Amino acid sequence: MSESGRTRFLALLMATVVAALAASAFVVSAATFDGRETRGTARNPVLAGRGQEPKALWSRYWESEHGRQYSVVVVWPLTDDAPLPPGLGRWPAPGEAFLSPALADGPGREDFTRRYGRMAGRVGEGGLATPGERLVYTRPSEAMLNSGSLEGITGFGAPGPGFGDVRLIDRERERHLAIIMALLLVLPAAGLVVAAVRMGAHGHDRRARLLHLMGAGRRARAWMNLGAAVVPVALGTLGAAVVLAPALFWNVTLPWIDFTLAAADLRGAAGALVRAVLASGLTVLAAALLLQPSTRRPGQASPGKASRGKASRGRRITVVACPAFFGAAFVSVRLAPQTPAFYLIAVIGALATLPSVIGRVTARLAPRLAASARRSGAPGRLIAARALAARPGTVVRLVSTLIIAIGVIGQTQLISSLLEHRSGDTALLNSADGNSMALVQAADRARPAEEFRAALPQGLHVVSLGHLDLQPDGSSGGRIIQAPCADLSALALPCPAPGTSEPVPFSRLDRRLTATTYRFFGDTDATVRVGATARLDPQDIHLAVFTPKGTALDMPAVKRAARLTLSTNAVIRTLAESSQSYTLGFHARWLSFLGAIGTAFITLAMVFSTLSEFLRFARNLAPLTAVTGEYEVFRKTAGWAVALPLATAGVAGVAAYVFLAQPVSNITRGAELSGELCLTLLALTAALSLTAALAAHVAALREARKWSPRAD
């Protein structure tokens, strides 16, 4: 297969598709954020001002399911002309609820369709920030109407920050997401474009020199390069448009992260998508023109001197820029700890310039390697050293994709671990112990706690909690624990005689109880007394629901009982959720998603880049059979010219990963450097180096066996 034939055609086509998809990701992100903000504002309540007659009552509270938060909105219309919340076709009747499709179609074990009352229908897309958002509109029963605080409103569409999932990814995180996409998507896509454009460069250079000798100027050579690239680039642009087109008509759910893109948002940004796709195609064409070495016109003095000087200056700039980027990444976290964009930009610069540094260092060391090979009489090493010294750009092309691949994988792991360390313990969240106790909190309007106890499944225990000697500023000297004797005994607490109490030191309290209630009661001692389940503080009611042996609670049943019998805006937190947020852990899944796509891009680039170098390697070495008379030289030359640069790049990439991990791992709750990942990357590099050398050896043998002298 020719370098400039079908393989280069396919490489340019795939590079154009990847570049267009990477550019379109920014348009999709911006359109999604804009659509979320518009719909979020449209459903914000307009509070009734002084002297205004409210048309409905409204409140909302956070609900969580296995660490993932969503909003529950409580509504009650007061007038016949009360404006409907966006996404609802009618007001729910007392005791009814409208659920978003994500909840309505959720797991049956979670009992979403009964947790907030009878399910009356689904919230339409116009009332959801995104089609996959989880949201509830519920109207309490007559008996539960006054169990929680409700505000008077006159309509919807108030400006200001929205509620629901729009609170989880705000404009600040939109900027961070754009920089992460630049690192995990654009940088690999750029590597693929460069690899595709330079594939077959040797043949293009020969044709350019031939045209030059025939009197062709720069314009003619540019038309030659353009003609070779325009068809695959045009097909790649069309292919990207075909891939994106379905998202304009149907909502598309992204795998792994379970995020649904709204087709309406993308249709609104269709013009920007078209421009992004066309601009990507033009960028690939521009790269095809700019990255082809030019041939100087005849008659000019010192042929090649100016171009060599310019290339030398470029390499010197790169050598200076690379350590500067590494240094900037190292100090950015200390100088601007709240602005991770500086660190990510420095990382992008470091990974982009490191291959050029490796190429320059290789070119500087190659003469010494050649001298050593000449003294020891090693022809394979001598040929490889001469080739590396003469063409440092070959080394850069060979190692750049590997460097970027290691960088993308390493940064994905670092940023993911950083977010996960600042998120809750997912092992505890999904364990029986983490769900064996829940704290139920409600305000002073809550209905009698005994009704809540009666609605719970059989076998569960409940104790009431309150502050001892509660002061106006919220401080207290301890906590009160009150419950029937059977419930106290289930927590290994004493049962004092009626009308008396018994102190229990904090150290003797049940571990689950101290962890679940620490936010409200700290490490205070307890006063235990026997009594009915009741409110012990003037305002809030705190109830701890738990299983006797640490088994998992039936949380859907507990939440249903709290919402329908205690208070419409009761807050229920499990032991695992009592003092931890899992939002950043869900955000970390975006990194795995984008990192996987970027790794696929750069793997494709690596395939095309190495294939191009193998073909060039084979053609250049084929005539050696006429000089050496044997084929063993190919194996040794492949080892030095292919395996050694790749192995060096792998070690340098892992070293860069370790260095770039230091500023983000030496901070409180920082990232975690993975030793296993380092060993895995080194092992994969060794395997790739050996495989690449073997492939180059086989390709050279194939070319050598069919080579015959011909006029060039």
Side-chain angles (χ1 to χ4, degrees):
M1 184 180 292
S2 173
E3 276 188 283
S4 55
R6 293 190 300 269
T7 306
R8 186 173 188 270
F9 186 97
L10 178 61
L12 283 171
L13 190 152
M14 293 300 298
T16 306
V17 172
V18 166
L21 293 180
S24 299
F26 291 88
V27 178
V28 171
S29 174
T32 299
F33 274 102
D34 289 342
R36 288 159 61 99
E37 186 173 358
T38 299
R39 289 185 292 273
T41 300
R43 70 188 184 190
N44 278 348
V46 179
L47 299 180
R50 179 176 298 180
Q52 286 185 304
E53 189 71 23
K55 294 188 175 183
L57 300 176
W58 184 97
S59 72
R60 70 165 180 85
Y61 57 88
W62 286 111
E63 169 73 289
S64 65
E65 205 63 49
H66 294 291
R68 183 177 179 182
Q69 288 186 316
Y70 60 94
S71 287
V72 177
V73 181
V74 182
V75 292
W76 187 279
L78 297 175
T79 63
D80 293 337
D81 63 343
L84 285 169
L88 298 191
R90 67 172 178 85
W91 285 101
E96 288 185 341
F98 281 83
L99 276 64
S100 65
L103 290 179
D105 299 331
R109 65 180 181 275
E110 299 296 344
D111 201 19
F112 291 125
T113 57
R114 295 195 310 142
R115 185 182 298 182
Y116 311 99
R118 300 182 305 276
M119 179 178 166
R122 300 183 178 219
V123 181
E125 284 192 18
L128 300 174
T130 64
E133 184 186 21
R134 306 196 303 174
L135 182 70
V136 178
Y137 281 99
T138 179
R139 183 176 178 179
S141 64
E142 293 278 359
M144 293 292 293
L145 174 60
N146 295 319
S147 64
S149 298
L150 294 169
E151 296 181 288
I153 65 172
T154 59
F156 298 91
F163 60 91
D165 282 352
V166 294
R167 289 283 299 276
L168 301 183
I169 303 180
D170 53 25
R171 285 291 177 180
E172 176 98 8
R173 292 191 176 93
E174 182 186 6
R175 291 190 291 271
H176 295 167
L177 179 62
I179 297 173
I180 289 173
M181 287 194 298
L183 172 63
L184 301 183
L185 295 183
V186 176
L187 188 60
L192 176 55
V193 169
V194 172
V197 166
R198 290 301 295 164
M199 192 169 194
H202 180 64
H204 281 277
D205 296 347
R206 291 177 59 189
R207 284 191 292 274
R209 286 192 294 270
L210 179 61
L211 287 173
H212 165 70
L213 293 175
M214 295 172 63
R218 291 180 181 272
R219 180 175 299 180
R221 295 196 301 273
W223 279 110
M224 180 194 74
N225 293 331
L226 186 64
V230 68
V231 174
V233 169
L235 291 177
T237 303
L238 180 62
V242 171
V243 172
L244 292 170
L248 300 176
F249 302 97
W250 298 282
N251 296 333
V252 175
T253 300
L254 302 177
W256 169 241
I257 53 175
D258 193 28
F259 184 86
T260 303
L261 299 173
D265 293 342
L266 301 191
R267 283 195 297 270
L273 281 173
V274 171
R275 290 192 294 273
V277 172
L278 293 178
S280 300
L282 293 176
T283 300
V284 177
L285 283 178
L289 295 177
L290 296 175
L291 295 183
Q292 297 294 339
S294 62
T295 304
R296 295 185 62 81
R297 294 178 182 274
Q300 289 181 311
S302 302
K305 183 178 179 180
S307 61
R308 286 195 300 270
K310 186 181 297 184
S312 179
R313 286 194 300 272
R315 287 193 293 268
R316 286 198 297 270
I317 293 173
T318 302
V319 169
V320 174
C322 184
F325 278 123
F326 274 100
F330 193 81
V331 302
S332 62
V333 177
R334 296 183 181 276
L335 297 179
Q338 303 302 322
T339 312
F342 293 144
Y343 170 78
L344 294 175
I345 292 172
V347 168
I348 293 173
L351 295 178
T353 54
L354 182 58
S356 295
V357 173
I358 294 177
R360 182 173 176 83
V361 171
T362 303
R364 294 290 296 272
L365 295 179
R368 299 182 182 180
L369 181 64
S372 171
R374 188 169 56 251
R375 287 193 299 270
S376 60
R381 197 187 339 156
L382 178 62
I383 295 169
R386 293 299 188 191
L388 294 176
R391 291 195 177 96
T394 299
V395 177
V396 175
R397 290 191 296 273
L398 187 63
V399 305
S400 59
T401 51
L402 180 58
I403 291 287
I404 296 174
I406 293 176
V408 168
I409 294 171
Q411 288 302 308
T412 300
Q413 184 273 325
L414 287 174
I415 303 175
S416 297
S417 67
L418 177 66
L419 294 180
E420 289 169 357
H421 284 178
R422 298 184 178 186
S423 187
D425 183 355
T426 54
L428 179 64
L429 178 67
N430 297 312
S431 68
D433 183 61
N435 292 277
S436 63
M437 178 176 284
L439 182 66
V440 180
Q441 180 191 9
D444 56 351
R445 295 188 179 186
R447 292 176 58 78
E450 288 299 327
E451 294 184 16
F452 166 65
R453 174 190 281 272
L456 290 172
Q458 294 292 323
L460 299 187
H461 295 275
V462 183
V463 298
S464 299
L465 299 164
H467 292 84
L468 184 66
D469 299 328
L470 183 63
Q471 301 298 314
D473 62 358
S475 62
S476 70
R479 71 182 76 191
I480 304 171
I481 302 177
Q482 177 176 303
C485 186
D487 297 313
L488 296 175
S489 298
L491 284 178
L493 294 172
C495 294
T500 64
S501 61
E502 185 171 332
V504 176
F506 176 80
S507 59
R508 284 185 49 201
L509 295 177
D510 185 276
R511 172 190 56 82
R512 295 176 299 163
L513 182 66
T514 58
T516 305
T517 63
Y518 188 85
R519 175 185 299 185
F520 299 100
F521 298 96
D523 56 359
T524 58
D525 297 338
T527 297
V528 179
R529 62 194 188 195
V530 175
T533 307
R535 180 189 301 113
L536 303 181
D537 285 343
Q539 300 295 327
D540 293 340
I541 179 173
H542 297 89
L543 304 172
V545 183
F546 59 97
T547 56
K549 297 181 180 180
T551 55
L553 287 166
D554 183 356
M555 285 307 302
V558 173
K559 292 184 176 183
R560 182 174 64 248
R563 309 297 187 204
L564 301 182
T565 65
L566 184 65
S567 175
T568 57
N569 57 0
V571 178
I572 304 101
R573 297 185 181 90
T574 64
L575 167 64
E577 298 171 322
S578 59
S579 60
Q580 303 179 81
S581 171
Y582 295 86
T583 299
L584 290 178
F586 285 102
H587 288 172
R589 300 172 67 181
W590 278 94
L591 294 169
S592 301
F593 175 71
L594 295 174
I597 296 176
T599 302
F601 288 173
I602 204 63
T603 300
L604 192 62
M606 192 180 303
V607 169
F608 286 127
S609 178
T610 52
L611 178 59
S612 175
E613 297 305 324
F614 293 164
L615 293 173
R616 181 180 301 180
F617 177 87
R619 283 170 172 77
N620 289 341
L621 291 189
L624 286 177
T625 53
V627 178
T628 62
E630 50 93 11
Y631 298 109
E632 181 65 19
V633 68
F634 296 151
R635 180 178 61 82
K636 296 179 179 178
T637 304
W640 287 99
V642 177
L644 180 61
L646 286 175
T648 302
V651 173
V654 172
Y657 158 66
V658 173
F659 183 88
L660 293 172
Q662 301 310 308
V664 293
S665 59
N666 294 330
I667 56 177
T668 304
R669 302 179 71 185
E672 180 180 358
L673 176 68
S674 174
E676 293 181 358
L677 180 60
C678 291
L679 295 176
T680 301
L681 291 174
L682 290 174
L684 290 176
T685 297
L688 175 65
S689 302
L690 293 176
T691 303
L694 178 62
H697 171 58
V698 172
L701 285 178
R702 186 182 297 115
E703 288 293 324
R705 290 191 175 110
K706 64 181 183 181
W707 178 82
S708 60
R710 66 179 185 272
D712 272 343

